[in-house]
Amino acid sequence: MARCGVSLLLTALIGVLVPVMAQQIQDLELDCVKPVYIIADDFNRDSYPDLALACHSCNTVVVVPNLGPAGSPCAQFAGAVTWELEDAPTALASGYFLDPPSGQNFPYYTVFPNVLAVTQYRPGLIRFSPLDPRNSFSAFRNSPAPIEVEVVSTFATFNHVLTADFTNDGALEVAVLDGLTPKIGIYLGSRSDLSPAVPGSPGGSSVGAPVSLTLPLSAQRAHFMATGDFDRDGYLDLVVAADGKIMFFRNQFTPGGTLGFAPPPQNVFPRATPEVVVGTQVVGLAVADFDRDGYLDVAAVDPEFGALSILMNRGGCWEFQMVARIKMEGEPVFIVAFDCDRNALIDLAIAERATDQVTIVLNRLQNLRDISRPDLCDRTVPSPEKVDDTELFVTFSFPVGPQPVGLAVADFDQNGISDLAVALNGGGPPGTDPAAKVIYNPCCCAICDKGTSCCGEAESELERCPEEVGGAPKG
């Protein structure tokens, strides 16, 4: 059941507390005990992003269909389905997979996004579609039987998973993180013979696949990983949060070769920083271009050290510099990047577990500056170049409920403005605190019951929220 309401909050801007807006926040009351992860994707391709939550204590993945606004100020989340696993899920991902055109696998997995889940204790990796094949693939269904988790004996546990096309062949690879060993396993997909990285499980059957590539990490504990083409060579690289470090791994794949990752070599990239120490226990990462220089940067959160750290990519030659460390005393555990206020600069949202809030960190343009940098990547680089001089600053926080631990970004009501979904580890079954919440238009919202604009610190309402005051959308 979903409940949409209005929540008041305060903004801390330039050291002054200012009342800003009444915010549209929607409760999602689900039968989900100890949710630990949340993702958003349009699983039935009806144009409205749906949600999936990993419910750790009840060994399930709950998928929540989005029926669209239907005349309401909020999207209608209803008809949640439950997929039962034999082990506790710890993280989720989604993606399109190419399956051979035979039996019930076609077009079951080739047309619709699938859910991937990793589990903690056995550990295991599962892929499934939550759709009902008997109903034109538009309706969702519960799992027909508990999904057996096949033990992957080369790992101690799984605590993160992601999908990416590391070889640029049009087929997804799947990367799993073992935070205890620690190491990364990569399952390879192939488009040439329609071989998916991980077999699908349409009927609750056992799934599993050998790991095609294992990448050891020089750390005691690893928590999170992300992808990005950090050197702009056309291939996705890896970045990992491990101990108090951010570790970078360059994709060494070449056409016709084999996939491999290694720290960027300093004999090739003299200024390379394969590892950057930013705290004591980094648990979350976000990858984005914060200064619009064309190179991907990294933001990281560390609940033990109590900080948000910003690393800027200096020229795409694996030189990363920590330019800011912002104090966050609410135990920041998850971070996502998106343009919250629609000024074409990438902002951040952070889940702070100890203070039961989501904090927005806005990106502000300070100036334009000229830079000259040496060409260490065998590319012609114009000199000088114009880049943005930007500043990320904590702006305001939303009280969301007990122990927010996960975030997902999507436009749930399809109004052209990004929304946030929050997984609440302290929430649970109906009758207790909600398992998840949706924050609509976090930096540019309309009061639910009045339909009026409440766009906070914008220079004008028209600049930040043109739809709400009769203007045309930006872009």
Side-chain angles (χ1 to χ4, degrees):
M1 182 176 68
R3 185 174 67 248
C4 178
V6 177
S7 175
L8 296 177
L9 60 115
L10 296 177
T11 284
L13 184 61
I14 321 179
V16 180
L17 286 176
V18 182
V20 172
M21 61 183 80
Q23 183 59 45
Q24 187 174 317
I25 297 181
Q26 182 178 19
D27 295 345
L28 300 182
E29 297 180 356
L30 308 168
D31 193 5
C32 178
V33 184
K34 291 288 183 184
V36 293
Y37 210 91
I38 188 169
I39 60 171
D41 207 335
D42 185 5
F43 294 115
N44 64 346
R45 297 183 62 181
D46 65 351
S47 83
Y48 291 104
D50 311 298
L51 289 170
L53 285 87
C55 306
H56 185 271
S57 291
C58 50
N59 293 4
T60 59
V61 175
V62 171
V63 181
V64 194
N66 180 358
L67 307 181
S72 167
C74 301
Q76 302 300 299
F77 290 97
V81 300
T82 299
W83 282 72
E84 299 179 53
L85 316 180
E86 287 192 343
D87 195 13
T90 55
L92 303 175
S94 64
Y96 289 83
F97 289 83
L98 297 168
D99 286 270
S102 61
Q104 58 185 329
N105 283 346
F106 183 81
Y108 202 64
Y109 293 113
T110 55
V111 205
F112 300 96
N114 280 201
V115 178
L116 289 102
V118 286
T119 61
Q120 180 172 2
Y121 298 106
R122 302 192 62 165
L125 173 62
I126 295 109
R127 173 168 72 95
F128 65 89
S129 169
L131 301 180
D132 187 348
R134 299 163 298 181
N135 196 3
S136 302
F137 300 99
S138 60
F140 291 77
R141 65 164 176 168
N142 296 300
S143 57
I147 301 178
E148 180 181 346
V149 176
E150 184 171 323
V151 176
V152 184
S153 58
T154 54
F155 293 96
T157 189
F158 288 143
N159 59 340
H160 199 219
V161 60
L162 60 79
T163 60
D165 184 3
F166 289 119
T167 60
N168 284 356
D169 68 346
L172 285 179
E173 277 71 52
V174 175
V176 291
L177 176 63
D178 178 352
L180 294 181
T181 312
K183 59 187 174 186
I184 296 172
I186 299 178
Y187 295 71
L188 297 178
S190 172
R191 183 174 181 175
S192 60
D193 59 358
L194 290 184
S195 176
V198 178
S201 179
S205 60
S206 175
V207 296
V211 175
S212 305
L213 173 66
T214 303
L215 179 66
L217 304 174
S218 58
Q220 296 296 313
R221 278 287 188 83
H223 299 279
F224 200 90
M225 55 185 174
T227 62
D229 184 5
F230 295 106
D231 53 8
R232 297 205 308 186
D233 65 351
Y235 292 96
L236 290 172
D237 310 299
L238 277 169
V239 56
V240 182
D243 296 338
K245 300 179 289 187
I246 300 175
M247 307 172 67
F248 295 94
F249 296 92
R250 183 171 181 257
N251 188 339
Q252 299 177 310
F253 180 79
T254 55
T258 57
L259 181 63
F261 292 86
Q266 290 183 306
N267 62 330
V268 179
F269 308 106
R271 299 186 182 184
T273 49
E275 297 182 358
V276 181
V277 177
V278 298
T280 56
Q281 204 63 247
V282 181
V283 301
L285 299 171
V287 174
D289 182 4
F290 295 118
D291 60 355
R292 294 190 297 195
D293 66 348
Y295 298 101
L296 292 174
D297 312 303
V298 178
V301 288
D302 184 334
E304 187 176 286
F305 196 68
L308 161 67
S309 299
I310 309 296
L311 269 64
M312 303 304 287
N313 184 348
R314 299 306 191 193
C317 297
W318 299 102
E319 179 187 1
F320 291 89
Q321 179 184 356
M322 187 166 68
V323 298
R325 183 187 277 153
I326 301 170
K327 180 174 70 172
M328 304 194 77
E329 296 179 329
E331 292 187 12
V333 293
F334 205 95
I335 182 171
V336 290
F338 70 121
D339 185 3
C340 187
D341 56 3
R342 301 192 318 150
N343 66 348
L345 291 170
I346 299 300
D347 311 302
L348 297 167
I350 298 166
E352 294 193 82
R353 180 177 55 198
T355 49
D356 301 338
Q357 65 186 18
V358 170
T359 295
I360 301 296
V361 178
L362 291 182
N363 195 0
R364 177 169 53 193
L365 180 64
Q366 301 287 85
N367 206 343
L368 292 177
R369 56 190 173 94
D370 292 326
I371 64 167
S372 298
R373 50 192 170 198
D375 179 14
L376 302 180
C377 299
D378 298 323
R379 292 191 298 264
T380 300
V381 179
S383 178
E385 297 175 67
K386 291 279 189 187
V387 299
D388 290 340
D389 185 7
T390 61
E391 176 192 14
L392 286 155
F393 62 102
V394 175
T395 312
F396 52 82
S397 299
F398 302 96
V400 293
Q403 300 176 39
V405 293
L407 295 169
V409 176
D411 183 5
F412 296 110
D413 54 1
Q414 291 291 284
N415 69 343
I417 309 173
S418 294
D419 311 307
L420 287 172
V422 189
L424 300 172
N425 189 246
T432 65
D433 290 298
K437 293 193 177 186
V438 177
I439 305 172
Y440 288 92
N441 315 337
C443 296
C444 173
C445 68
I447 300 176
C448 273
D449 57 351
K450 296 182 180 179
T452 55
S453 178
C454 50
C455 295
E457 297 297 321
E459 291 182 10
S460 70
E461 289 186 341
L462 181 60
E463 178 182 348
R464 187 172 291 181
C465 306
E467 300 89 348
E468 304 294 348
V469 291
K474 289 183 179 181

